[in-house]
Amino acid sequence: AAKTMSMLGKADSSAGEQDFHNILGASEFASDFTRIIRNTAGFEQLILFLKQTLRLKEQVVALGRKLRESDISQREREGLEEERAAVLAQLRATFHKELPAEGRTEVMRFLTAINEEVIKAKAMFLAYSDPFEKYRALLFEYAHTLGHGVEAFMNGLYQRAGAMDIDYSEAFRLHGQCVGMAVLWAGEMSLDMGHLQKEGYMAHQSLVYLFNRFGGFDFAP
């Protein structure tokens, strides 16, 4: 969705023309995106929420990076995991409890409208331009290469667990959850390569935090 929204928002700009000049219908999709922002309430409320929770998201990212360090003790790791879980709970509560019901509803309606346009755009690409997802439609496969790798690896673990009569229901991950992990990895790699920076990086990563199942962060890449 982040990649698609990038295409939709940039297709009419000079940068967009350079990046997506060969995308059939990109300008039309961009005009649809602009129309949604102008006619569907919730965009301003979403931007305000993202800005207000920037400090919390920065804390989550910083704690996650510390957890990736290999030289920390088990006790330190447990403490960091507990602290990160508390910050994530505070982030979720900011949206689900502190945000007024009217504002929360507007945000969800806006995101629903955006997702509907994304689905329509993908349907057009698959139906008329690239039905086997080999060329242009790869734009809509954002993070899926890594996500499919995680999914395949997990499927192997499920089979092994089943053969050993081990209950793996708590560890089971859906396709979208595996892609969600990969979206975060893609953001980290883009940051390391110098492409995503500052607010753009935080907005990219926060999409997963906001959309995840049950309104919470229920997987750990």
Side-chain angles (χ1 to χ4, degrees), residues 16-53:
E17 290 175 2
Q18 181 177 352
D19 292 345
F20 306 116
H21 64 89
N22 64 329
I23 302 300
L24 182 65
S27 296
E28 288 80 0
F29 296 152
S31 64
D32 288 342
F33 184 76
T34 303
R35 174 177 52 78
I36 293 170
I37 293 178
R38 290 176 178 172
N39 296 287
T40 305
F43 179 71
E44 292 80 6
Q45 185 68 59
L46 174 60
I47 296 301
L48 182 62
F49 169 76
L50 292 175
K51 289 182 176 179
Q52 289 176 339
T53 56

Side-chain angles (χ1 to χ4, degrees), residues 84-104:
R84 186 170 184 267
V87 177
L88 282 169
Q90 186 179 353
L91 175 61
R92 293 194 295 270
T94 303
F95 182 80
H96 292 282
K97 296 181 180 180
E98 297 180 17
L99 195 67
E102 182 179 355
R104 190 165 60 248

